[in-house]
């Protein structure tokens, strides 16, 4: 492979206009041209298999109607407007309407439930919420705990406390002049996924979309190409689904597929076949399910995939190798978070090293820092950090403004001009990053520093393992034992548990250092996950701490 990284990275220059609005850039500018306005923006399919197509013109007109409605409801620039909908065209129109009036979109996952929704709505002080039938009952329960939330716009749901979507839009004109926002104006309030505790609201600017583009283009093997069609099962309320799929696809004027209903491996493959999907963002959790349920997909499906980006969790060599062999695509791992997305990753423009996170994407000055905030030596593990400025001294537009009404948390995120990610990695002599786990997931066992990611990847290489999570179990002698929670693949569930535990232990011991072998393995039916599919290891750690405390209390 021709390595073009040394040419691309140092020559990249940011161009961020003084005025920039996501709605104008992603939808309205395409609709202004009658020919481009007829292009397909969204292919949509609901859980019943019913399908519809939205053009850029229809999307723009619907967004304008809703923008007029929001204005008449008193929504002002800077107000937070919550959006709790699945992957549907009306959700995209809602985003664009919120941006058009200069308000701040507050995307919330339908999976949060009443209490999770209430906590975020209350913290954001949201005035208005837009929901569909699947989330409206939960939101009405949440509203009781949210005094500022006075108006709810509901699609396909009737209740005296809501404003019907269709009635509101029917009274509005399809013409609206988008507010000329400054590129640094707030546009999105994205709450962190809560892998390590209470979620915090990361406030992003309109120009954050520009900051995402280099990584998006590279991770999708230079998107867009002619006839490119995008799809992701990731919730459009999550950073990966929104900034890694929906908004960049629309920015380039291409079509994205939106789907409602539960994820399954077969349905995912059917969707990619039916819509001739060329580009996808697939979280490792989704890839694991496809790998387990349909190990040879190209024998059953005619796929058009040319690029896959994966993020949210470390991809790991087993999944990488399967994608390359079974899907015919080398997946591009990418790393980022709500506060600063698309920092590091792979692309077909430079060689991929299986198991590596890749290299910093053009436009971003990234380093691994030690405890003193200094760059680590080659091969040493430290914390991944992004500098406020690129290598040319220009501000990086991808960086968030700060945590919503939480100055202490914002300040603790930085050391000088470096924004700390909370994720650990090492860098090899060629500039490739190698993930070592979350800083708060790493623990010590018998004096050895244990990162769960490497052990989990090793377990996943065993055919009996569908998924795994590694956490510390308190131990008076070693400080902590390595414990693995394992979900078995369908073909291994009837096997003897004790024999299988020994087999998995030997599997790890023969491939990693002996001290990395799990001393205990617990077979479970599921793992605690965030709404974005990340393993909530802190829940498992707390479970082990609680279990360890029970005998001590009983002995007193």
């Amino acid at each position: 492979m021709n390595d073009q990284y040394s040419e691309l990275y140092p020559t990249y220059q940011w161009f961020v206009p003084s005025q920039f609005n996501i709605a104008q850039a992603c939808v309205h500018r395409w609709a202004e041209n009658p020919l481009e306005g007829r292009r397909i923006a969204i292919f949509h399919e609901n859980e019943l298999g019913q399908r519809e197509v939205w053009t850029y013109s229809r999307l723009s007109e619907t967004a304008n109607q809703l923008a007029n409605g929001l204005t008449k409801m008193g929504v002002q620039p800077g107000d937070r407007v919550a959006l709790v909908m699945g992957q549907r065209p009306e959700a995209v129109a809602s985003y664009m309407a919120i941006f058009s009036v200069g308000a701040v979109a507050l995307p919330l996952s339908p999976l949060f439930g009443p209490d999770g929704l209430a906590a975020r709505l209350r913290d954001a002080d949201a005035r208005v919420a837009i929901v569909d039938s699947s989330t409206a009952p939960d939101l009405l329960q949440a509203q009781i705990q949210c005094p500022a939330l006075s108006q709810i716009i509901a699609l396909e749901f009737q209740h005296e406390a809501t404003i019907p979507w269709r009635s509101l839009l029917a009274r509005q004109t399809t013409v609206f002049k988008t507010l000329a926002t400054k590129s640094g104006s707030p546009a999105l309030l994205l709450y962190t996924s809560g892998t390590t505790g209470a979620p915090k609201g990361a406030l992003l600017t309109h120009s954050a979309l520009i900051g995402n583009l280099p990584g998006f283009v590279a991770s999708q093997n230079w998107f867009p190409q002619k006839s490119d069609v995008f799809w992701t099962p990731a919730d459009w309320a999550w950073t990966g689904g929104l900034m890694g799929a929906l908004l960049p696809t629309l920015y380039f004027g291409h079509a994205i597929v939106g789907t409602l209903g539960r994820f399954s491996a077969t349905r995912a493959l059917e969707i990619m076949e039916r819509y001739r999907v060329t580009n996808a963002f697939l979280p490792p959790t989704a890839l694991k399910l496809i790998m387990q349920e349909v190990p040879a997909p190209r024998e059953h499906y005619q796929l058009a995939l040319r690029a896959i980006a994966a993020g949210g969790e470390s991809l790991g060599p087993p999944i990488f190798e399967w994608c390359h062999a079974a899907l015919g695509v080398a997946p591009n791992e990418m790393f980022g978070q709500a506060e600063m997305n698309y920092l590091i990753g792979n692309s077909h423009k430079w060689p991929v090293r299986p198991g590596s996170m890749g290299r910093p994407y053009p436009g971003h000055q990234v380093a691994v820092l030690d405890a003193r905030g200094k760059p680590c030596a080659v091969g040493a593990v430290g914390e991944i950090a992004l500098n406020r400025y690129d290598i040319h001294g220009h501000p990086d537009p991808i960086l968030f403004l700060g945590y919503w009404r939480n100055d202490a948390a914002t300040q603790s995120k930085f050391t000088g001009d470096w924004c700390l990610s909370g994720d650990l990695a090492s860098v090899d002599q060629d500039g490739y990053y190698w993930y070592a786990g979350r800083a708060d997931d790493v623990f010590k066992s018998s004096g050895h520093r244990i990162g769960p990611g490497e052990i989990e990847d090793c377990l996943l290489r065993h055919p009996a393992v569908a998924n795994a999570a590694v956490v510390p179990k308190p131990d008076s002698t070693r400080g902590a034992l390595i414990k693995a929670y394992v979900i078995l693949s369908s073909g291994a569930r009837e096997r003897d548990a004790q024999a299988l535990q020994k087999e998995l232990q030997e599997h790890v011991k023969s491939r990693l250092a002996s001290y990395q072998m799990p001393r205990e393995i617990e077979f479970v039916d599921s793992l605690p996950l965030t709404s974005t599919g990340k393993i909530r290891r802190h829940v498992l750690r707390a479970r082990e701490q609680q279990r360890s405390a029970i005998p001590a209390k009983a002995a007193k």
Side-chain angles (χ1 to χ4, degrees):
M1 177 186 286
N2 181 25
D3 189 350
Q4 301 178 40
Y5 188 81
S6 60
E7 300 171 11
L8 292 167
Y9 183 79
T11 58
Y12 187 85
Q13 297 274 355
W14 289 112
F15 173 70
V16 181
S18 59
Q19 289 188 338
F20 182 78
N21 185 286
I22 293 174
Q24 180 64 26
C26 289
V27 172
H28 298 315
R29 67 173 170 136
W30 302 117
E32 288 168 1
N33 182 307
L35 182 62
E36 292 176 334
R38 289 196 291 270
R39 292 213 308 256
I40 294 172
I42 305 167
F43 292 104
H44 185 249
E45 183 172 314
N46 67 15
E47 53 270 84
L48 301 177
Q50 297 168 329
R51 306 170 200 170
E52 62 177 328
V53 172
W54 281 48
T55 63
Y56 275 92
S57 290
R58 182 181 178 186
L59 189 56
S60 177
E61 290 174 357
T62 304
N64 285 342
Q65 286 177 298
L66 182 55
N68 281 311
L70 292 174
T71 300
K72 291 178 180 177
M73 290 166 64
V75 174
Q76 299 291 318
D79 286 349
R80 278 73 59 204
V81 178
L83 173 63
V84 200
M85 292 175 126
Q87 284 191 359
R88 58 193 313 154
E90 293 87 355
V92 185
S94 298
Y95 275 119
M96 299 307 146
I98 296 166
F99 297 142
S100 294
V101 302
V104 176
L106 170 62
L108 297 174
S109 171
L111 301 177
F112 281 145
D115 290 345
L117 291 172
R120 292 161 175 83
L121 289 163
R122 192 168 55 248
D123 185 66
D125 211 20
R127 280 194 50 222
V128 178
I130 306 170
V131 299
D132 59 20
S133 57
S134 66
T135 56
D138 283 351
L139 197 84
L140 287 171
Q141 289 187 52
Q143 188 182 24
I144 300 170
Q145 306 175 50
C146 305
L149 183 60
S150 57
Q151 295 167 306
I152 299 174
I153 302 168
L155 174 67
E156 299 174 353
F157 180 83
Q158 297 292 326
H159 190 278
E160 60 182 9
T162 67
I163 303 169
W165 168 282
R166 298 192 186 283
S167 299
L168 176 65
L169 266 63
R171 298 191 293 268
Q172 314 304 327
T173 175
T174 59
V175 177
F176 183 85
K177 184 174 177 57
T178 300
L179 186 70
T181 54
K182 292 182 179 179
S183 58
S185 298
L188 283 161
L189 185 56
L190 300 179
Y191 276 81
T192 57
S193 55
T195 51
T196 57
K200 300 182 291 292
L203 190 61
L204 304 183
T205 65
H206 284 270
S207 59
L209 174 57
I210 296 174
N212 272 261
L213 294 178
F216 174 80
V217 168
S219 70
Q220 292 297 333
N221 292 343
W222 255 243
F223 188 97
Q225 306 294 323
K226 186 178 180 181
S227 302
D228 274 355
V229 175
F230 206 99
W231 178 69
T232 181
D235 194 333
W236 288 347
W238 173 47
T239 308
L242 183 61
M243 305 301 281
L246 177 64
L247 295 183
T249 300
L250 298 177
Y251 177 87
F252 287 112
H254 277 251
I256 190 166
V257 180
T259 54
L260 295 176
R262 293 180 63 84
F263 176 89
S264 73
T266 53
R267 188 176 184 222
L269 292 164
E270 288 169 359
I271 287 166
M272 289 191 284
E273 178 184 56
R274 179 154 49 249
Y275 295 100
R276 308 302 294 160
V277 170
T278 57
N279 298 73
F281 177 84
L282 296 171
T285 304
L287 286 169
K288 288 175 190 175
L289 289 172
I290 297 173
M291 181 173 68
Q292 292 289 331
E293 295 179 28
V294 192
R298 287 192 291 176
E299 293 181 6
H300 309 283
Y301 300 92
Q302 297 294 318
L303 301 176
L305 282 169
R306 71 171 188 85
I308 297 173
E313 284 272 298
S314 180
L315 189 61
I319 305 175
F320 177 90
E321 292 162 5
W322 176 81
C323 285
H324 200 200
L327 294 174
V329 176
N332 293 321
E333 181 161 351
M334 56 77 61
F335 169 80
Q337 50 189 212
E339 299 90 337
M340 42 184 175
N341 198 32
Y342 271 117
L343 301 185
I344 303 167
N346 286 306
S347 175
H348 74 337
K349 295 286 187 179
W350 53 87
V352 174
R353 295 187 178 176
S356 165
M357 301 168 67
R359 292 159 153 173
Y361 283 123
H364 309 303
Q365 184 181 174
V366 184
V368 165
L369 305 182
D370 62 20
R372 301 170 300 160
K374 304 296 183 183
C376 291
V378 171
V381 173
E383 187 170 355
I384 302 169
L386 171 71
N387 200 284
R388 291 182 183 273
Y389 304 96
D390 67 7
I391 59 173
H392 306 292
H394 301 136
D396 190 333
I398 210 166
L399 190 61
F400 77 135
L401 287 172
Y403 290 119
W404 178 255
R405 294 178 177 172
N406 195 336
D407 292 339
T410 302
Q411 291 171 12
S412 67
K413 187 77 172 172
F414 287 86
T415 176
D417 285 330
W418 291 99
C419 185
L420 304 172
S421 68
D423 289 273
L424 303 176
S426 62
V427 185
D428 65 22
Q429 59 185 5
D430 298 317
Y432 284 83
Y433 283 62
W434 298 83
Y435 192 68
R438 287 286 302 175
D440 32 33
D441 284 337
V442 172
F443 59 95
K444 282 194 173 183
S445 177
S446 297
H448 296 288
R449 195 163 176 274
I450 305 298
E454 188 176 19
I455 303 172
E456 292 166 357
D457 286 342
C458 186
L459 286 167
L460 281 168
R461 286 181 176 274
H462 194 285
V465 178
N467 207 351
V470 169
V471 295
K473 176 179 180 177
D475 180 78
S476 58
T477 303
R478 295 181 174 87
L481 295 177
I482 300 173
K483 176 165 181 178
Y485 284 85
V486 168
I487 298 176
L488 293 174
S489 58
S490 56
R493 290 169 189 164
E494 303 302 320
R495 294 185 56 184
D496 179 73
Q498 189 173 2
L500 189 52
Q501 174 171 314
K502 291 181 179 178
E503 185 177 321
L504 292 177
Q505 287 173 325
E506 286 300 317
H507 173 79
V508 174
K509 189 176 180 180
S510 65
R511 288 162 174 79
L512 301 178
S514 59
Y515 64 78
Q516 291 177 290
M517 182 191 76
R519 296 283 175 175
E520 184 177 319
I521 296 176
E522 182 175 336
F523 299 113
V524 294
D525 295 328
S526 63
L527 293 171
L529 303 175
T530 68
S531 60
T532 63
K534 297 180 184 179
I535 298 171
R536 301 176 71 203
R537 293 183 187 84
H538 75 282
V539 173
L540 299 176
R541 289 199 307 272
R543 182 183 302 174
E544 290 305 316
Q545 290 168 355
Q546 184 178 28
R547 286 174 174 177
S548 298
I550 291 172
K553 290 178 180 178
K556 290 182 179 180

